[in-house]
Amino acid sequence: LLPALGCATSAPPVTKIVGGKRIVTRSVSAHAYEHVARALIYEDEDRWEEAAAEYQRALSYDGDAPEIHARLAEAFLALGRTQDAEGEIARSLSIEPTVPGLVAKARLEERLGRPEAAVAALRQARGLASFADEPDVAESVHLELADVQLRSLDPRAAAATLAALCSAHT
């Protein structure tokens, strides 16, 4: 589900009760979903040019989706287009901080040789990731944070991150 976003031209938010929780989202064009689905298939096949093109098509239907901007940034990173990735990450995070946007930022920061900034972005992503709602995402963020901490030669922080991950599973 995509978080609620507002602007003068967007549709009003949609509220649903899912699993006893109130979820606020926004309607998204079916065309955007179609292009994102294709992009994900291309990603699985390491066809990054095609994936980036599909994400760009999706954004033409839903430019307010921070997650799509983040996925496009990841495709640009895979292609070595760091400036383009940086622009998409900025767009994503300006709409709303999300786990995908912050993870993309961390990967960019690490690629640019700024491990402290990568750790900070992943810590922020960890704060947004919920074991109750998306356990796979929360686990992935913890593991990626621990990896960056180890590459930054901070084994104590990595051990604390992994301990937090283990305690979340018990």
Side-chain angles (χ1 to χ4, degrees):
L1 294 175
L2 298 174
L5 300 171
C7 72
T9 60
S10 68
V14 177
T15 303
K16 297 180 180 187
I17 304 295
V18 178
K21 295 180 183 176
R22 181 175 176 259
I23 305 293
V24 179
T25 187
R26 61 185 178 80
S27 61
V28 177
S29 162
H31 296 293
Y33 281 123
E34 177 184 346
H35 291 293
V36 168
R38 280 193 198 120
L40 292 171
I41 291 168
Y42 289 140
E43 279 186 16
D44 284 344
E45 298 170 353
D46 291 327
R47 295 168 55 188
W48 296 105
E49 287 285 347
E50 292 96 331
E54 288 297 332
Y55 286 129
Q56 288 171 319
R57 288 182 190 105
L59 286 168
S60 72
Y61 292 102
D62 188 9
D64 290 334
E67 297 87 351
I68 299 174
H69 285 285
R71 296 301 308 206
L72 178 56
E74 294 278 7
F76 285 154
L77 284 173
L79 293 167
R81 295 171 54 182
T82 55
Q83 284 186 318
D84 292 328
E86 192 169 20
E88 290 303 318
I89 291 165
R91 284 182 197 88
S92 174
L93 296 176
S94 73
I95 295 167
E96 179 178 0
T98 63
V99 171
L102 291 164
V103 168
K105 179 181 172 88
R107 291 177 181 161
L108 173 68
E109 295 293 0
E110 193 169 25
R111 176 149 322 158
L112 295 175
R114 300 188 293 237
E116 299 85 12
V119 167
L122 287 169
R123 283 185 175 143
Q124 190 177 357
R126 181 179 60 183
L128 295 176
S130 166
F131 280 100
D133 297 331
E134 295 180 294
D136 292 345
V137 171
E139 180 179 311
S140 175
V141 169
H142 277 77
L143 291 172
E144 189 151 352
L145 174 57
D147 282 345
V148 173
Q149 289 167 326
L150 284 173
R151 286 192 296 274
S152 300
L153 304 176
D154 191 352
R156 283 193 171 102
T161 298
L162 293 173
L165 172 61
C166 291
S167 70
H169 281 290
T170 57

